[in-house]
Amino acid sequence: MWKAKGTLGFEGQINRYMELAKYFYKVLKKKDNFKLLFDAEPESTNVCFWYFPARLKRIPKGFQRHQELQKIAPKIKAQMMMEGTVMISYQPRGDKVNFFRMVFSNPATRQKNVDYLIDEIERLGKDFSYFSVNLNIPCKHQL
């Protein structure tokens, strides 16, 4: 692979991933239904964030909000996998409940793909604004 791309080829590819990560970061930072784990611009190709449905914003910070928030990313990802639209990882870390972790590593990824990812998370997460994700209330995104 190194012989095929060369040092400059890899440098260009990594720089492209960094540009996409910064673009993603800047778009999410402007949206009120996303919260970044780190306030500073990304220093790698990873961007970590939560999706906050409107309902969740009305719950005061604390245990109940964390209990609800930790279920959002797994449910959205499961629906994405069922529909075959997007693949993105999520994980908890230390005292941080499940968050999405976008890693830019595909040379075919373009800004329109990043925009689609954001739209897809919002589309699948919008129903969480009305239904508690921890209750057995019928919802097309309930697992």
Side-chain angles (χ1 to χ4, degrees):
M1 182 68 111
W2 194 275
K3 286 183 182 183
K5 288 187 181 258
T7 301
L8 292 178
F10 272 116
E11 179 182 359
Q13 190 172 337
I14 299 300
N15 287 341
R16 177 75 181 128
Y17 299 153
M18 291 299 298
E19 289 171 12
L20 286 168
K22 286 180 182 177
Y23 171 78
F24 190 52
Y25 164 85
K26 287 176 181 176
V27 172
L28 292 185
K29 193 155 179 75
K30 292 177 185 174
K31 293 185 165 280
D32 65 348
N33 54 342
F34 289 89
K35 179 160 176 40
L36 295 151
L37 261 68
F38 308 104
D39 206 28
E41 278 195 12
E43 295 180 358
S44 70
T45 63
N46 298 309
V47 180
C48 301
F49 62 96
W50 289 287
Y51 172 74
F52 270 84
R55 180 193 60 76
L56 202 56
K57 291 185 215 171
R58 294 188 293 270
I59 299 173
K61 288 182 181 179
F63 181 77
Q64 181 185 1
R65 185 175 179 177
H66 280 232
Q67 290 298 318
E68 295 285 318
L69 182 59
Q70 75 179 352
K71 297 172 186 171
I72 300 293
K75 289 192 180 267
I76 290 175
K77 178 183 176 151
Q79 191 64 30
M80 287 176 171
M81 298 300 291
M82 284 176 42
E83 294 182 16
T85 57
V86 179
M87 185 181 275
I88 185 171
S89 62
Y90 69 87
Q91 68 184 65
R93 175 106 172 122
D95 64 342
K96 309 286 189 228
V97 297
N98 285 326
F99 54 86
F100 286 108
R101 182 173 172 251
M102 181 62 205
V103 180
F104 292 96
S105 62
N106 182 341
T109 303
R110 301 290 177 256
Q111 283 185 3
K112 68 180 183 178
N113 305 117
V114 174
D115 294 335
Y116 176 79
L117 170 64
I118 295 166
D119 291 344
E120 191 67 358
I121 291 171
E122 290 178 320
R123 178 183 74 84
L124 295 171
K126 74 179 180 336
D127 285 345
F128 297 152
S129 295
Y130 306 106
F131 301 108
S132 175
V133 294
N134 69 343
L135 299 176
N136 291 322
I137 298 172
C139 172
K140 73 177 184 178
H141 303 298
Q142 195 77 18
L143 298 178

